[in-house]
Amino acid sequence: MRYSAFRIFREGLTGNKGWKPVWREPEPKSEYDIVIVGAGGHGLATAYYLAKEFGLTNVAVLEKGWLGSGNIGRNTTIIRSNYLLPGNEPFYEFSLKLWEGLEQDFNYNAMVSQRSILNLFHTDAQRDAFVRRGNAMILAGADAELADAAQLRRELPFLDFDNARFPIKGGLYQRRGGTVRHDAVAWGYARGADARGVDIIQNCEVTGFDIENGTCRGVQTTRGAIRAKKVAVCVAGSSSRVMEKAGMRLPIESHVLQAFVTEGLKPVLPGVITFGAGHFYVSQSDKGGLVFGGDIDGYNSYAQRGNLPVVEDVAEGGMAIMPMIGRARLLRSWGGIMDMSMDGSPFIDKTHIGGLYFNGGWCYGGFKATPASGFCYAHLLARDTPHPTATQMRLDRFMTGNMIDEKGQGNQPNLH
Amino acid sequence: MIIDHPLLGPRDAAEFVYLGDVSLIDRPDWQAEDAMQRFHEYGYLRDNPAGLHRELWYHEQGDRSWLVVTRDTVTHEITSVELARDVARQRGRSK
């Protein structure tokens, strides 16, 4: 069923009786060409692009819980491509271009809103670093625009420009950045994949891999064994737990990241704003709530909830750039589990086990990457060669010395 | 989280800096035949369990001691806190 304004009109006149469930609930078959483990945003996007771009539809997506129950519905919904390094920036720009055409592509309203992202800077040295980053973005085909304090005073008069400790000297805009209704991304990809014949199987936990002579032939699940020519793991947050079943140790620690939303307010924030001296980012949802977050808690966790010191740190970051946020009442806070990799960058790669593929290590940047992650993973699965924008996201890059360390922090996951 | 420091008693976790898995105590022998492989595993690969995890915390805002904390990564419950010095000596380290 194609969605359109006409369809809404017609259904409105006929008692809304024509709407159908958006995807099927099939029983797992005994064998598929490709089994994707994890029906989060990335897994569903992978299935969608496998079917749509590469013509592979004998595919199953297995999900331990319910569809989209992980970080696709927990993130702060920001999309952007303001990275620096050659291993990352073309990939994220590819992702942003996919976001721009996504709703027409999968015929689903994901409320993609390119309302801009602004990274504030507070010192001359930071300005220089942002100029460099902006140039790197432009070289990769993205957009970047440097704004001085006078311009920002006109556009965002509520910021605390004369803060004694962190005065705002300007910012780097990416006007094409913005926000997306995150859960709709899962529904849209699931619907598009299902319509092309992909089986999305919920409440089906993978309990083991069938590895014979160094080749993965399928998976054991709570709903029986499923054979597959290729098994594609896509379970960021739980990557170590799943890959351990295949005997692998990963360059990943799992950490908890908290997010917050206030009560609904009248429109006050035109786009996404980030603090340059601490870790704080904020946008306003279409319902009016201020959606914001900051640092990860910093210790290994699978708890999906964090602790108070980070709540305080995030609140301090907010107060430092826009004191008016202190008048808003906090409505909800929650946590999600991140694959924090050793260099802060992700993996889309084969493993040393034949037929077993791995996608993970997204740190807290997985949401914006969803379309390109799915596309590049599908490319790797279909053609066995990496997509041109994802050639450096290798699992063995720490052994070969080809880290993609945007912040230059070294192998300390809680500092990325 | 409250970390029950063996010398100082219960302290807020915010006084500490988190390093990571306790295996970081066991630095490989740099002269071993397979030193390259072992340093890769030591520096970059982690067990990352869901459940009990032994990990290194540094009391930066306190007595600057290194502690080995045993904590459940699913519930955040801390069940044991030792001085890292004692743990390292038990593992055969001289200092």
Side-chain angles (χ1 to χ4, degrees):
Chain A
M1 181 196 298
R2 221 186 135 67
Y3 292 157
S4 64
F6 172 73
R7 181 91 206 178
I8 293 172
F9 186 69
R10 204 180 85 184
E11 291 296 333
L13 291 178
T14 55
N16 284 305
K17 294 195 175 102
W19 301 115
K20 298 276 187 303
V22 170
W23 52 80
R24 299 165 293 130
E25 296 209 7
E27 286 298 310
K29 292 191 279 185
S30 61
E31 187 165 0
Y32 291 91
D33 289 341
I34 298 174
V35 163
I36 298 167
V37 183
H42 291 219
L44 292 167
T46 304
Y48 175 78
Y49 290 115
L50 273 173
K52 178 165 178 288
E53 301 293 332
F54 301 97
L56 297 170
T57 56
N58 188 19
V59 173
V61 190
L62 310 183
E63 169 56 46
K64 164 179 84 166
W66 66 93
L67 192 156
S69 55
N71 293 333
I72 189 71
R74 292 170 186 269
N75 58 74
T76 44
T77 80
I78 297 165
I79 59 169
R80 57 186 174 88
S81 66
N82 50 2
Y83 284 72
L84 175 70
L85 298 179
N88 273 335
E89 177 59 13
F91 171 85
Y92 287 102
E93 177 53 22
F94 177 49
S95 201
L96 193 53
K97 288 198 170 75
L98 288 173
W99 280 119
E100 287 173 330
L102 184 67
E103 293 165 298
Q104 297 303 318
D105 188 66
F106 67 15
N107 180 233
Y108 202 88
N109 181 12
M111 295 165 68
V112 176
S113 169
Q114 292 183 289
R115 56 183 68 182
S116 83
I117 181 165
L118 171 67
N119 300 131
L120 297 173
F121 56 78
H122 308 268
T123 64
D124 289 348
Q126 202 173 20
R127 178 183 182 279
D128 292 347
F130 278 25
V131 168
R132 180 178 175 224
R133 175 183 297 263
N135 284 333
M137 291 161 63
I138 291 166
L139 283 172
D143 63 307
E145 180 188 323
L146 198 72
D148 61 14
Q151 179 186 340
L152 294 185
R153 275 179 195 271
R154 284 193 305 275
E155 294 179 4
L156 306 163
F158 52 83
L159 294 178
D160 189 6
F161 290 92
D162 301 316
N163 184 295
R165 181 69 183 84
F166 304 116
I168 293 167
K169 301 286 192 183
L172 183 70
Y173 264 117
Q174 184 177 27
R175 299 276 183 190
R176 289 162 61 242
T179 59
V180 179
R181 185 189 145 203
H182 52 193
D183 52 335
V185 177
W187 316 147
Y189 276 127
R191 173 172 168 266
D194 179 88
R196 288 170 174 81
V198 172
D199 284 355
I200 298 166
I201 300 161
Q202 304 179 66
N203 301 308
C204 180
E205 181 175 358
V206 168
T207 54
F209 297 90
D210 293 329
I211 296 166
E212 300 161 15
N213 302 321
T215 302
C216 186
R217 307 282 186 194
V219 290
Q220 295 291 327
T221 76
T222 50
R223 295 176 68 175
I226 301 173
R227 306 281 286 179
K229 294 190 181 77
K230 292 177 179 173
V231 176
V233 175
C234 197
V235 294
S238 299
S239 292
S240 298
R241 298 168 77 177
V242 173
M243 296 310 278
E244 186 201 4
K245 299 181 203 298
M248 287 179 67
R249 289 173 84 218
L250 299 177
I252 286 172
E253 287 178 1
S254 293
H255 286 255
V256 60
L257 175 67
Q258 302 188 63
F260 308 86
V261 64
T262 70
E263 60 190 332
L265 304 169
K266 288 183 179 177
V268 286
L269 294 186
V272 184
I273 300 173
T274 76
F275 185 28
H279 203 161
F280 177 80
Y281 42 89
V282 60
S283 64
Q284 189 168 21
S285 78
D286 291 318
K287 284 193 287 188
L290 301 179
V291 183
F292 57 94
D295 267 326
I296 55 175
D297 270 42
Y299 43 82
N300 287 43
S301 175
Y302 286 94
Q304 291 191 322
R305 60 180 170 77
N307 276 305
L308 288 171
V310 166
V311 178
E312 186 178 16
D313 183 69
V314 169
E316 284 171 353
M319 291 300 288
I321 58 166
M322 41 184 285
M324 72 173 178
I325 203 172
R327 299 293 297 276
R329 279 170 295 194
L330 195 67
L331 194 63
R332 288 185 291 128
S333 72
W334 63 95
I337 303 304
M338 314 290 122
D339 269 9
M340 295 303 296
S341 69
M342 285 289 166
D343 59 359
S345 293
F347 308 96
I348 302 176
D349 202 1
K350 303 174 189 178
T351 66
H352 69 280
I353 299 165
L356 182 61
Y357 297 73
F358 177 71
N359 175 322
W362 291 98
C363 299
Y364 38 78
F367 178 66
K368 75 179 84 67
T370 305
S373 169
F375 198 107
C376 295
Y377 203 22
H379 186 284
L380 179 70
L381 287 162
R383 304 210 173 138
D384 268 323
T385 55
H387 187 271
T389 64
T391 54
Q392 296 186 38
M393 295 172 179
R394 304 276 72 85
L395 261 173
D396 66 353
R397 63 177 180 256
F398 304 104
M399 191 67 190
T400 58
N402 293 301
M403 284 74 102
I404 317 172
D405 192 342
E406 287 275 341
K407 288 169 81 177
Q409 296 281 26
N411 58 341
Q412 186 63 36
N414 61 1
L415 296 182
H416 287 293
Chain B
M1 293 189 297
I2 302 290
I3 294 175
D4 193 3
H5 193 297
L7 305 177
L8 303 177
R11 312 296 303 185
D12 192 306
E15 295 177 5
F16 294 78
V17 174
Y18 180 79
L19 184 69
D21 194 293
V22 71
S23 66
L24 290 167
I25 286 180
D26 302 320
R27 193 177 174 82
D29 174 10
W30 64 277
Q31 288 180 308
E33 281 287 308
D34 56 351
M36 186 83 161
Q37 189 68 38
R38 286 168 61 183
F39 267 98
H40 171 251
E41 289 173 13
Y42 171 80
Y44 297 105
L45 302 186
R46 299 287 181 267
D47 287 339
N48 193 21
L52 288 186
H53 188 231
R54 295 186 82 204
E55 54 202 23
L56 287 161
W57 292 73
Y58 176 59
H59 199 192
E60 189 184 45
Q61 306 290 325
D63 71 345
R64 293 188 286 167
S65 59
W66 281 96
L67 304 182
V68 174
V69 175
T70 305
R71 189 177 56 93
D72 191 320
T73 58
V74 176
T75 63
H76 296 163
E77 185 191 4
I78 293 170
T79 45
S80 130
V81 183
E82 305 152 88
L83 288 172
R85 185 182 59 194
D86 296 343
V87 175
R89 281 186 177 147
Q90 281 160 23
R91 290 177 181 229
R93 289 270 299 273
S94 58
K95 56 184 178 181

